[in-house]
Amino acid sequence: DTAVSQTPKYLVTQMGNDKSIKCEQNLGHDTMYWYKQDSKKFLKIMFSYNNKELIINETVPNRFSPKSPDKAHLNLHINSLELGDSAVYFCASSYAVGNTEAFFGQGTRLTVV
Amino acid sequence: TQLLEQSPQFLSIQEGENLTVYCNSSSVFSSLQWYRQEPGEGPVLLVTVVTGGEVKKLKRLTFQFGDARKDSSLHITAAQPGDTGLYLCAGHLYNDYKLSFGAGTTVTVRA
């Protein structure tokens, strides 16, 4: 049973397109996150939701819009994709906000051509 | 500038050797975590340290949290090829929801 699953694992698309990445966790956690890992492997938080409420919204272009239909799901929609959006996007969850372990999905490698 | 600075960035050693990875900051953390990430996978938590001066051991891995809660180290004894991976430190500042990551140390253990 996969704890945090995200789809798709690979996504290749053209500039200007709109795409979505889906994430689901079956751990019963209250908090979910989206992280972006760049080509130098640096992981930077983008968004966090706690019980479907947005609690962290870093300096991210508003072309990126997260949506949490329920606390087990956090999807990421990206409009008007740009070359610089190419990266690996990780979904994660934790029991609660603060000092708790984060469980990560396998990542979605997004390539914009 | 990053909140957590990791060094070295890359480390390549022979099987059986020891290695240490450092994670430093000018900020005080309520806790620090170490993760290992393998190619094509997400990071997996190895340990969380919460008390200044704390030392935790996980088989051949020893983790230390600095007395001032600003730094941490990961020491691997008698490294094996299976220890190869990207090691990431991450921490929570007090009263901050965010888990901030260091840039990572890529460890390669040659057989």
Side-chain angles (χ1 to χ4, degrees):
Chain A
D1 254 0
T2 304
V4 181
S5 59
Q6 50 183 111
T7 55
K9 188 165 171 64
Y10 300 96
L11 186 52
V12 181
T13 187
Q14 289 190 324
M15 273 194 306
N17 283 351
D18 303 339
K19 289 293 177 187
S20 292
I21 306 172
K22 295 188 175 184
C23 179
E24 176 182 4
Q25 55 96 3
N26 63 5
L27 298 166
H29 288 168
D30 283 350
T31 310
M32 295 187 72
Y33 313 83
W34 277 108
Y35 281 85
K36 179 181 180 179
Q37 188 170 46
D38 61 24
S39 57
K40 295 185 178 179
K41 305 294 185 188
F42 182 58
L43 262 172
K44 185 167 170 49
I45 192 163
M46 300 172 69
F47 302 103
S48 177
Y49 273 73
N50 186 57
N51 268 322
K52 301 193 298 175
E53 182 184 341
L54 181 66
I55 58 170
I56 294 174
N57 185 354
E58 289 295 282
T59 310
V60 176
N62 56 16
R63 299 182 294 103
F64 290 78
S65 52
K67 284 201 169 44
S68 182
D70 55 62
K71 73 176 192 177
H73 295 84
L74 180 61
N75 304 322
L76 183 65
H77 188 76
I78 315 170
N79 289 328
S80 302
L81 278 154
E82 300 177 358
L83 292 176
D85 297 331
S86 296
V88 182
Y89 292 85
F90 284 98
C91 176
S93 73
S94 64
Y95 178 72
V97 297
N99 302 341
T100 56
E101 173 183 359
F103 291 80
F104 284 81
Q106 284 195 311
T108 295
R109 181 173 292 278
L110 172 65
T111 304
V112 183
V113 296
Chain B
T1 54
Q2 293 173 25
L3 200 55
L4 288 162
E5 298 284 345
Q6 279 189 245
S7 61
Q9 189 178 356
F10 299 97
L11 196 51
S12 180
I13 60 170
Q14 202 70 32
E15 182 177 4
E17 293 180 341
N18 301 333
L19 69 96
T20 302
V21 177
Y22 300 93
C23 178
N24 295 295
S25 178
S26 56
S27 300
V28 178
F29 288 86
S30 61
S31 68
L32 272 179
Q33 300 175 338
W34 284 93
Y35 291 78
R36 184 169 76 200
Q37 183 180 11
E38 299 190 15
E41 302 290 331
V44 175
L45 182 73
L46 296 173
V47 78
T48 300
V49 285
V50 297
T51 306
E54 181 176 5
V55 176
K56 279 193 174 178
K57 291 188 184 237
L58 186 67
K59 296 183 182 177
R60 294 173 295 98
L61 277 61
T62 302
F63 305 86
Q64 187 158 8
F65 198 12
D67 290 341
R69 313 172 70 94
K70 294 182 179 182
D71 55 86
S72 181
S73 63
L74 156 60
H75 183 80
I76 302 179
T77 304
Q80 299 176 0
D83 295 325
T84 293
L86 176 68
Y87 288 83
L88 297 156
C89 69
H92 283 281
L93 296 172
Y94 283 97
N95 300 317
D96 190 346
Y97 293 147
K98 287 186 300 188
L99 182 63
S100 299
F101 279 83
T105 296
T106 300
V107 171
T108 304
V109 182
R110 304 184 305 275

PDB file of all heavy atoms in Angstrom, chain B residues 34-59:
ATOM      1  N   TRP B  34      16.913  14.486   9.390  1.00  0.00           N
ATOM      2  CA  TRP B  34      17.757  14.030   8.293  1.00  0.00           C
ATOM      3  C   TRP B  34      16.940  13.072   7.428  1.00  0.00           C
ATOM      4  O   TRP B  34      16.268  12.167   7.951  1.00  0.00           O
ATOM      5  CB  TRP B  34      19.002  13.318   8.815  1.00  0.00           C
ATOM      6  CG  TRP B  34      20.047  14.245   9.352  1.00  0.00           C
ATOM      7  CD1 TRP B  34      20.199  14.652  10.648  1.00  0.00           C
ATOM      8  CD2 TRP B  34      21.092  14.878   8.623  1.00  0.00           C
ATOM      9  NE1 TRP B  34      21.264  15.507  10.757  1.00  0.00           N
ATOM     10  CE2 TRP B  34      21.836  15.657   9.529  1.00  0.00           C
ATOM     11  CE3 TRP B  34      21.483  14.867   7.277  1.00  0.00           C
ATOM     12  CZ2 TRP B  34      22.937  16.427   9.146  1.00  0.00           C
ATOM     13  CZ3 TRP B  34      22.580  15.619   6.886  1.00  0.00           C
ATOM     14  CH2 TRP B  34      23.294  16.380   7.814  1.00  0.00           C
ATOM     15  N   TYR B  35      17.016  13.279   6.119  1.00  0.00           N
ATOM     16  CA  TYR B  35      16.341  12.431   5.147  1.00  0.00           C
ATOM     17  C   TYR B  35      17.382  11.861   4.182  1.00  0.00           C
ATOM     18  O   TYR B  35      18.425  12.474   3.946  1.00  0.00           O
ATOM     19  CB  TYR B  35      15.328  13.235   4.317  1.00  0.00           C
ATOM     20  CG  TYR B  35      14.105  13.712   5.064  1.00  0.00           C
ATOM     21  CD1 TYR B  35      14.161  14.815   5.908  1.00  0.00           C
ATOM     22  CD2 TYR B  35      12.888  13.048   4.931  1.00  0.00           C
ATOM     23  CE1 TYR B  35      13.036  15.250   6.591  1.00  0.00           C
ATOM     24  CE2 TYR B  35      11.756  13.476   5.600  1.00  0.00           C
ATOM     25  CZ  TYR B  35      11.835  14.579   6.426  1.00  0.00           C
ATOM     26  OH  TYR B  35      10.721  15.000   7.093  1.00  0.00           O
ATOM     27  N   ARG B  36      17.050  10.693   3.610  1.00  0.00           N
ATOM     28  CA  ARG B  36      17.862  10.165   2.519  1.00  0.00           C
ATOM     29  C   ARG B  36      16.956   9.994   1.303  1.00  0.00           C
ATOM     30  O   ARG B  36      15.828   9.496   1.413  1.00  0.00           O
ATOM     31  CB  ARG B  36      18.493   8.814   2.864  1.00  0.00           C
ATOM     32  CG  ARG B  36      19.417   8.326   1.747  1.00  0.00           C
ATOM     33  CD  ARG B  36      20.240   7.146   2.175  1.00  0.00           C
ATOM     34  NE  ARG B  36      19.464   5.924   2.198  1.00  0.00           N
ATOM     35  CZ  ARG B  36      19.809   4.840   2.871  1.00  0.00           C
ATOM     36  NH1 ARG B  36      20.911   4.828   3.592  1.00  0.00           N
ATOM     37  NH2 ARG B  36      19.053   3.770   2.812  1.00  0.00           N
ATOM     38  N   GLN B  37      17.472  10.421   0.160  1.00  0.00           N
ATOM     39  CA  GLN B  37      16.714  10.331  -1.072  1.00  0.00           C
ATOM     40  C   GLN B  37      17.509   9.525  -2.090  1.00  0.00           C
ATOM     41  O   GLN B  37      18.680   9.818  -2.353  1.00  0.00           O
ATOM     42  CB  GLN B  37      16.412  11.728  -1.636  1.00  0.00           C
ATOM     43  CG  GLN B  37      15.557  11.711  -2.885  1.00  0.00           C
ATOM     44  CD  GLN B  37      15.263  13.113  -3.418  1.00  0.00           C
ATOM     45  OE1 GLN B  37      15.852  14.098  -2.981  1.00  0.00           O
ATOM     46  NE2 GLN B  37      14.359  13.207  -4.368  1.00  0.00           N
ATOM     47  N   GLU B  38      16.865   8.505  -2.658  1.00  0.00           N
ATOM     48  CA  GLU B  38      17.500   7.714  -3.706  1.00  0.00           C
ATOM     49  C   GLU B  38      16.934   8.148  -5.049  1.00  0.00           C
ATOM     50  O   GLU B  38      15.848   8.727  -5.118  1.00  0.00           O
ATOM     51  CB  GLU B  38      17.273   6.232  -3.432  1.00  0.00           C
ATOM     52  CG  GLU B  38      17.878   5.824  -2.093  1.00  0.00           C
ATOM     53  CD  GLU B  38      17.895   4.320  -1.872  1.00  0.00           C
ATOM     54  OE1 GLU B  38      17.706   3.561  -2.836  1.00  0.00           O
ATOM     55  OE2 GLU B  38      18.104   3.916  -0.718  1.00  0.00           O
ATOM     56  N   PRO B  39      17.684   7.904  -6.137  1.00  0.00           N
ATOM     57  CA  PRO B  39      17.250   8.374  -7.471  1.00  0.00           C
ATOM     58  C   PRO B  39      15.843   7.889  -7.809  1.00  0.00           C
ATOM     59  O   PRO B  39      15.506   6.718  -7.608  1.00  0.00           O
ATOM     60  CB  PRO B  39      18.294   7.743  -8.407  1.00  0.00           C
ATOM     61  CG  PRO B  39      19.501   7.583  -7.561  1.00  0.00           C
ATOM     62  CD  PRO B  39      18.996   7.243  -6.189  1.00  0.00           C
ATOM     63  N   GLY B  40      15.015   8.812  -8.284  1.00  0.00           N
ATOM     64  CA  GLY B  40      13.657   8.459  -8.699  1.00  0.00           C
ATOM     65  C   GLY B  40      12.675   8.266  -7.560  1.00  0.00           C
ATOM     66  O   GLY B  40      11.538   7.846  -7.793  1.00  0.00           O
ATOM     67  N   GLU B  41      13.101   8.582  -6.341  1.00  0.00           N
ATOM     68  CA  GLU B  41      12.239   8.403  -5.176  1.00  0.00           C
ATOM     69  C   GLU B  41      12.143   9.698  -4.388  1.00  0.00           C
ATOM     70  O   GLU B  41      12.931  10.628  -4.586  1.00  0.00           O
ATOM     71  CB  GLU B  41      12.806   7.303  -4.264  1.00  0.00           C
ATOM     72  CG  GLU B  41      12.972   5.952  -4.926  1.00  0.00           C
ATOM     73  CD  GLU B  41      11.649   5.287  -5.227  1.00  0.00           C
ATOM     74  OE1 GLU B  41      10.664   5.548  -4.496  1.00  0.00           O
ATOM     75  OE2 GLU B  41      11.589   4.504  -6.218  1.00  0.00           O
ATOM     76  N   GLY B  42      11.169   9.731  -3.488  1.00  0.00           N
ATOM     77  CA  GLY B  42      11.078  10.863  -2.591  1.00  0.00           C
ATOM     78  C   GLY B  42      11.970  10.681  -1.375  1.00  0.00           C
ATOM     79  O   GLY B  42      12.409   9.563  -1.080  1.00  0.00           O
ATOM     80  N   PRO B  43      12.266  11.766  -0.645  1.00  0.00           N
ATOM     81  CA  PRO B  43      13.078  11.649   0.576  1.00  0.00           C
ATOM     82  C   PRO B  43      12.379  10.784   1.623  1.00  0.00           C
ATOM     83  O   PRO B  43      11.149  10.809   1.738  1.00  0.00           O
ATOM     84  CB  PRO B  43      13.192  13.101   1.058  1.00  0.00           C
ATOM     85  CG  PRO B  43      12.888  13.945  -0.136  1.00  0.00           C
ATOM     86  CD  PRO B  43      11.906  13.162  -0.938  1.00  0.00           C
ATOM     87  N   VAL B  44      13.191  10.052   2.375  1.00  0.00           N
ATOM     88  CA  VAL B  44      12.674   9.207   3.447  1.00  0.00           C
ATOM     89  C   VAL B  44      13.360   9.629   4.744  1.00  0.00           C
ATOM     90  O   VAL B  44      14.588   9.751   4.786  1.00  0.00           O
ATOM     91  CB  VAL B  44      12.946   7.715   3.168  1.00  0.00           C
ATOM     92  CG1 VAL B  44      12.504   6.862   4.345  1.00  0.00           C
ATOM     93  CG2 VAL B  44      12.229   7.279   1.902  1.00  0.00           C
ATOM     94  N   LEU B  45      12.558   9.838   5.789  1.00  0.00           N
ATOM     95  CA  LEU B  45      13.103  10.295   7.058  1.00  0.00           C
ATOM     96  C   LEU B  45      14.001   9.237   7.696  1.00  0.00           C
ATOM     97  O   LEU B  45      13.642   8.073   7.792  1.00  0.00           O
ATOM     98  CB  LEU B  45      11.973  10.634   8.027  1.00  0.00           C
ATOM     99  CG  LEU B  45      12.434  11.170   9.389  1.00  0.00           C
ATOM    100  CD1 LEU B  45      12.964  12.590   9.241  1.00  0.00           C
ATOM    101  CD2 LEU B  45      11.299  11.134  10.407  1.00  0.00           C
ATOM    102  N   LEU B  46      15.188   9.685   8.165  1.00  0.00           N
ATOM    103  CA  LEU B  46      16.084   8.808   8.912  1.00  0.00           C
ATOM    104  C   LEU B  46      15.937   9.052  10.407  1.00  0.00           C
ATOM    105  O   LEU B  46      15.864   8.092  11.195  1.00  0.00           O
ATOM    106  CB  LEU B  46      17.542   9.066   8.504  1.00  0.00           C
ATOM    107  CG  LEU B  46      17.900   8.747   7.043  1.00  0.00           C
ATOM    108  CD1 LEU B  46      19.321   9.211   6.755  1.00  0.00           C
ATOM    109  CD2 LEU B  46      17.765   7.265   6.769  1.00  0.00           C
ATOM    110  N   VAL B  47      15.911  10.323  10.810  1.00  0.00           N
ATOM    111  CA  VAL B  47      15.883  10.641  12.240  1.00  0.00           C
ATOM    112  C   VAL B  47      15.391  12.062  12.451  1.00  0.00           C
ATOM    113  O   VAL B  47      15.486  12.907  11.559  1.00  0.00           O
ATOM    114  CB  VAL B  47      17.306  10.487  12.838  1.00  0.00           C
ATOM    115  CG1 VAL B  47      18.156  11.688  12.486  1.00  0.00           C
ATOM    116  CG2 VAL B  47      17.271  10.272  14.334  1.00  0.00           C
ATOM    117  N   THR B  48      14.840  12.295  13.646  1.00  0.00           N
ATOM    118  CA  THR B  48      14.509  13.651  14.105  1.00  0.00           C
ATOM    119  C   THR B  48      15.239  13.872  15.423  1.00  0.00           C
ATOM    120  O   THR B  48      15.184  13.020  16.315  1.00  0.00           O
ATOM    121  CB  THR B  48      13.001  13.811  14.332  1.00  0.00           C
ATOM    122  OG1 THR B  48      12.303  13.571  13.108  1.00  0.00           O
ATOM    123  CG2 THR B  48      12.677  15.227  14.810  1.00  0.00           C
ATOM    124  N   VAL B  49      15.934  15.001  15.548  1.00  0.00           N
ATOM    125  CA  VAL B  49      16.573  15.361  16.819  1.00  0.00           C
ATOM    126  C   VAL B  49      15.901  16.628  17.329  1.00  0.00           C
ATOM    127  O   VAL B  49      15.629  17.544  16.553  1.00  0.00           O
ATOM    128  CB  VAL B  49      18.100  15.551  16.677  1.00  0.00           C
ATOM    129  CG1 VAL B  49      18.787  14.197  16.558  1.00  0.00           C
ATOM    130  CG2 VAL B  49      18.473  16.416  15.475  1.00  0.00           C
ATOM    131  N   VAL B  50      15.612  16.632  18.623  1.00  0.00           N
ATOM    132  CA  VAL B  50      14.829  17.749  19.174  1.00  0.00           C
ATOM    133  C   VAL B  50      15.504  18.441  20.357  1.00  0.00           C
ATOM    134  O   VAL B  50      15.130  19.560  20.704  1.00  0.00           O
ATOM    135  CB  VAL B  50      13.416  17.294  19.595  1.00  0.00           C
ATOM    136  CG1 VAL B  50      12.627  16.816  18.394  1.00  0.00           C
ATOM    137  CG2 VAL B  50      13.479  16.219  20.652  1.00  0.00           C
ATOM    138  N   THR B  51      16.464  17.796  20.995  1.00  0.00           N
ATOM    139  CA  THR B  51      17.095  18.358  22.190  1.00  0.00           C
ATOM    140  C   THR B  51      18.535  18.762  21.884  1.00  0.00           C
ATOM    141  O   THR B  51      19.289  17.975  21.290  1.00  0.00           O
ATOM    142  CB  THR B  51      17.102  17.318  23.325  1.00  0.00           C
ATOM    143  OG1 THR B  51      15.771  16.843  23.536  1.00  0.00           O
ATOM    144  CG2 THR B  51      17.636  17.929  24.614  1.00  0.00           C
ATOM    145  N   GLY B  52      18.924  19.977  22.279  1.00  0.00           N
ATOM    146  CA  GLY B  52      20.298  20.433  22.066  1.00  0.00           C
ATOM    147  C   GLY B  52      21.288  19.461  22.673  1.00  0.00           C
ATOM    148  O   GLY B  52      21.111  19.039  23.814  1.00  0.00           O
ATOM    149  N   GLY B  53      22.332  19.079  21.887  1.00  0.00           N
ATOM    150  CA  GLY B  53      23.325  18.134  22.379  1.00  0.00           C
ATOM    151  C   GLY B  53      22.931  16.672  22.186  1.00  0.00           C
ATOM    152  O   GLY B  53      23.727  15.769  22.482  1.00  0.00           O
ATOM    153  N   GLU B  54      21.741  16.445  21.687  1.00  0.00           N
ATOM    154  CA  GLU B  54      21.243  15.068  21.529  1.00  0.00           C
ATOM    155  C   GLU B  54      22.065  14.288  20.503  1.00  0.00           C
ATOM    156  O   GLU B  54      22.476  14.826  19.483  1.00  0.00           O
ATOM    157  CB  GLU B  54      19.778  15.123  21.084  1.00  0.00           C
ATOM    158  CG  GLU B  54      19.108  13.780  20.903  1.00  0.00           C
ATOM    159  CD  GLU B  54      17.630  13.917  20.547  1.00  0.00           C
ATOM    160  OE1 GLU B  54      17.145  15.045  20.345  1.00  0.00           O
ATOM    161  OE2 GLU B  54      16.966  12.865  20.452  1.00  0.00           O
ATOM    162  N   VAL B  55      22.307  13.009  20.825  1.00  0.00           N
ATOM    163  CA  VAL B  55      22.967  12.088  19.904  1.00  0.00           C
ATOM    164  C   VAL B  55      22.041  10.889  19.703  1.00  0.00           C
ATOM    165  O   VAL B  55      21.561  10.310  20.668  1.00  0.00           O
ATOM    166  CB  VAL B  55      24.328  11.609  20.453  1.00  0.00           C
ATOM    167  CG1 VAL B  55      24.946  10.570  19.495  1.00  0.00           C
ATOM    168  CG2 VAL B  55      25.275  12.780  20.651  1.00  0.00           C
ATOM    169  N   LYS B  56      21.796  10.566  18.434  1.00  0.00           N
ATOM    170  CA  LYS B  56      20.967   9.383  18.135  1.00  0.00           C
ATOM    171  C   LYS B  56      21.733   8.464  17.196  1.00  0.00           C
ATOM    172  O   LYS B  56      22.436   8.928  16.293  1.00  0.00           O
ATOM    173  CB  LYS B  56      19.652   9.794  17.468  1.00  0.00           C
ATOM    174  CG  LYS B  56      18.592  10.271  18.432  1.00  0.00           C
ATOM    175  CD  LYS B  56      17.226  10.351  17.750  1.00  0.00           C
ATOM    176  CE  LYS B  56      16.152  10.689  18.749  1.00  0.00           C
ATOM    177  NZ  LYS B  56      14.827  10.830  18.134  1.00  0.00           N
ATOM    178  N   LYS B  57      21.594   7.164  17.453  1.00  0.00           N
ATOM    179  CA  LYS B  57      22.273   6.183  16.597  1.00  0.00           C
ATOM    180  C   LYS B  57      21.243   5.314  15.895  1.00  0.00           C
ATOM    181  O   LYS B  57      20.251   4.884  16.484  1.00  0.00           O
ATOM    182  CB  LYS B  57      23.208   5.312  17.439  1.00  0.00           C
ATOM    183  CG  LYS B  57      24.405   6.057  17.967  1.00  0.00           C
ATOM    184  CD  LYS B  57      25.408   5.120  18.630  1.00  0.00           C
ATOM    185  CE  LYS B  57      26.529   5.939  19.234  1.00  0.00           C
ATOM    186  NZ  LYS B  57      27.844   5.586  18.747  1.00  0.00           N
ATOM    187  N   LEU B  58      21.522   5.061  14.624  1.00  0.00           N
ATOM    188  CA  LEU B  58      20.685   4.199  13.812  1.00  0.00           C
ATOM    189  C   LEU B  58      21.638   3.267  13.087  1.00  0.00           C
ATOM    190  O   LEU B  58      22.178   3.589  12.026  1.00  0.00           O
ATOM    191  CB  LEU B  58      19.879   5.042  12.814  1.00  0.00           C
ATOM    192  CG  LEU B  58      18.832   4.352  11.947  1.00  0.00           C
ATOM    193  CD1 LEU B  58      17.692   3.836  12.796  1.00  0.00           C
ATOM    194  CD2 LEU B  58      18.294   5.327  10.898  1.00  0.00           C
ATOM    195  N   LYS B  59      21.903   2.110  13.694  1.00  0.00           N
ATOM    196  CA  LYS B  59      22.891   1.149  13.180  1.00  0.00           C
ATOM    197  C   LYS B  59      24.231   1.839  12.992  1.00  0.00           C
ATOM    198  O   LYS B  59      24.848   2.278  13.959  1.00  0.00           O
ATOM    199  CB  LYS B  59      22.392   0.517  11.874  1.00  0.00           C
ATOM    200  CG  LYS B  59      21.136  -0.317  12.066  1.00  0.00           C
ATOM    201  CD  LYS B  59      20.703  -1.001  10.781  1.00  0.00           C
ATOM    202  CE  LYS B  59      19.416  -1.776  11.023  1.00  0.00           C
ATOM    203  NZ  LYS B  59      18.894  -2.413   9.800  1.00  0.00           N
TER     204      LYS B  59
END
